[in-house]
Amino acid sequence: MNASVPMTAQDFKSDLKPIWCPGCGDYSVLTALAKALAELGRPREEVALISGIGCSSRLPAYTSVYGFHGVHGRALAVAAGVKLARPDLTVLAAGGDGDGLSIGGNHFLHACRRNVDITYLLMDNQVYGMTKGQASPTTAPDWCGSKLTPHGTGVSPVAPLHLALAAGVNFFARGFAGNPNELARLIGAGIAHPGFSVIHVLSPCVTFRPEQRGWKQAVRAVDATPASDPAEAFARFAADDGFTTGILFAGDRAPFMPARAMTATVAGIAQGFAA
Ligand SMILES: Cc1ncc(C[n+]2csc(CCOP(=O)(O)OP(=O)(O)O)c2C)c(N)n1
Ligand code: SF4
């Protein structure tokens, strides 16, 4: 591609046709991401998108940037490695609430704490879509839609905003797949903000949670400038119901980037093993 020709959102989509169910929110996340990357204007080979496993984690295959569709729950570990080895790249990670908060929950905490300059699309549908509809960490306790939990889970769900703030996240925005233009703006803001940025995307699973079509009526835009102090954000969003959208927190911690990582090369690492 000629670098002087401005790229369009379409240029950031691959030729693969997504196999998501018709109406899945993930289509709009792809649209928003492609728009954000076109607006960012970096060549495709300077962007890496890392994912785990799940319907949402198929995202890299449908983009034209470098991608890695890896192991369940380990997207953030891989993304951190990519960013530390190649700080010149724009690095994103993506995956579902199961991938990021169940099996990957520990990595989520440490990614917030460590603050490597990555933008993470946490595509939340409050269910394990790929494995046919089991409850996830963000599922409400009284949801009885899975045969595994016919009387609900009875367990308090994780609130990604509160969890991220407690763990030291540097940027937290919430978007809705049904509003892809606004979501593109939030993804762009997350990429521009130094450090670990979480874009919590409400992305309906129309197959196993058809009632999530009603999220359209539930979401509302935040009516204040983002908090920059975690205590202020906690106080402001203590009673948050999970449907406030926009940039909810923007901190100013310096990203984690050890000098040593910047000088490591594959040849150097190989030499170290040979010695
Ligand atoms: C180590 C491991 N454990 C379990 C699974 C089975 N598995 C695949 S995807 C998935 C959860 C998917 O849910 P989520 O991350 O919320 O994504 P969604 O499909 O809803 O987008 C699970 C449990 C797996 N692939 N690997
Ligand atoms: S099962 Fe749910 S999350 Fe997976 S593609 Fe279908 S609608 Fe989307």
Side-chain angles (χ1 to χ4, degrees):
M1 165 158 302
N2 182 342
S4 65
V5 178
M7 286 177 289
T8 66
Q10 196 53 38
D11 294 325
F12 285 92
K13 291 188 178 177
S14 74
D15 295 335
L16 285 181
K17 194 171 157 352
I19 59 166
W20 292 314
C21 309
C24 176
D26 296 354
Y27 284 99
S28 299
V29 182
L30 173 63
T31 298
L33 175 62
K35 186 172 193 296
L37 292 176
E39 281 165 13
L40 180 70
R42 292 199 75 177
R44 297 180 287 199
E45 62 273 21
E46 293 178 10
V47 180
L49 174 60
I50 316 298
S51 70
I53 298 293
C55 299
S56 42
S57 290
R58 292 184 186 275
L59 195 66
Y62 305 136
T63 74
S64 59
V65 301
Y66 275 98
F68 185 81
H69 184 192
V71 186
H72 195 32
R74 298 296 176 261
L76 290 173
V78 176
V82 172
K83 184 66 187 180
L84 294 180
R86 287 290 307 274
D88 55 309
L89 301 181
T90 294
V91 179
L92 298 108
D97 40 296
D99 189 80
L101 299 173
S102 280
I103 192 167
N106 193 27
H107 290 270
F108 180 74
L109 292 182
H110 293 288
C112 292
R113 178 176 80 87
R114 193 166 288 124
N115 203 28
V116 176
D117 189 12
I118 301 165
T119 302
Y120 180 39
L121 308 185
L122 175 57
M123 295 157 71
D124 191 354
N125 54 17
Q126 302 178 359
V127 76
Y128 290 180
M130 179 169 264
T131 49
K132 302 211 178 304
Q134 300 81 12
S136 86
T138 54
T139 302
D142 57 352
W143 180 68
C144 306
S146 165
K147 283 183 191 149
L148 290 182
T149 50
H151 308 294
T153 66
V155 180
S156 291
V158 165
L161 170 62
H162 299 150
L163 185 67
L165 283 171
V169 75
N170 207 36
F171 181 97
F172 191 103
R174 187 182 291 128
F176 173 48
N179 192 352
N181 287 338
E182 169 66 358
L183 183 57
R185 182 186 78 83
L186 298 175
I187 295 170
I191 294 172
H193 197 85
F196 186 60
S197 300
V198 175
I199 315 296
H200 181 207
V201 188
L202 302 171
S203 183
C205 172
V206 293
T207 298
F208 295 107
R209 305 290 312 258
E211 72 280 12
Q212 290 177 349
R213 291 182 190 273
W215 280 357
K216 211 182 308 175
Q217 281 77 45
V219 290
R220 62 190 171 281
V222 67
D223 59 1
T225 51
S228 57
D229 173 53
E232 187 196 335
F234 264 121
R236 199 185 282 179
F237 297 110
D240 179 51
D241 63 358
F243 290 102
T244 314
T245 59
I247 301 173
L248 307 184
F249 176 73
D252 57 7
R253 279 201 303 132
F256 178 80
M257 179 48 73
R260 199 163 54 89
M262 287 191 242
T263 55
T265 60
V266 174
I269 294 167
Q271 230 169 25
F273 278 109

